[in-house]
Amino acid sequence: MAFEDVKAEIGLLLTRMQNEPEDRHELYLQLSEKLNELKAYGMPIPQDLQDLEDALAEEFTEEAGDPA
């Protein structure tokens, strides 16, 4: 997949995240997948997207450890 295609898909994912907050976990997984594709192609990862992925990962890790 071309770099521009991956960037476009990430843009769509971010738009969906704003419109469908109840699917944050699925969107996190999809974002991670797309960022991993960029890494596999040796493309640079935009820092803001890396920060978003890290923040979501931390959020879901905290939720998984929360017994409530």
Side-chain angles (χ1 to χ4, degrees), residues 32 34-45 50 53:
S32 293
K34 296 304 173 192
L35 293 180
N36 285 335
E37 285 181 30
L38 289 177
K39 291 174 191 174
Y41 287 114
M43 300 295 181
I45 304 298
Q50 185 64 58
E53 180 187 29

Side-chain angles (χ1 to χ4, degrees), residues 4-55:
E4 292 300 319
D5 292 339
V6 174
K7 282 178 40 178
E9 286 189 29
I10 290 172
L12 288 172
L13 289 172
L14 293 174
T15 299
R16 285 182 54 205
M17 187 178 294
Q18 291 173 343
N19 295 334
E20 300 177 32
E22 67 275 3
D23 291 331
R24 289 172 57 97
H25 191 259
E26 180 64 28
L27 291 172
Y28 159 70
L29 294 175
Q30 291 178 14
L31 176 62
S32 293
E33 180 181 322
K34 296 304 173 192
L35 293 180
N36 285 335
E37 285 181 30
L38 289 177
K39 291 174 191 174
Y41 287 114
M43 300 295 181
I45 304 298
Q47 189 60 47
D48 58 343
L49 293 178
Q50 185 64 58
D51 293 344
L52 174 61
E53 180 187 29
D54 293 344

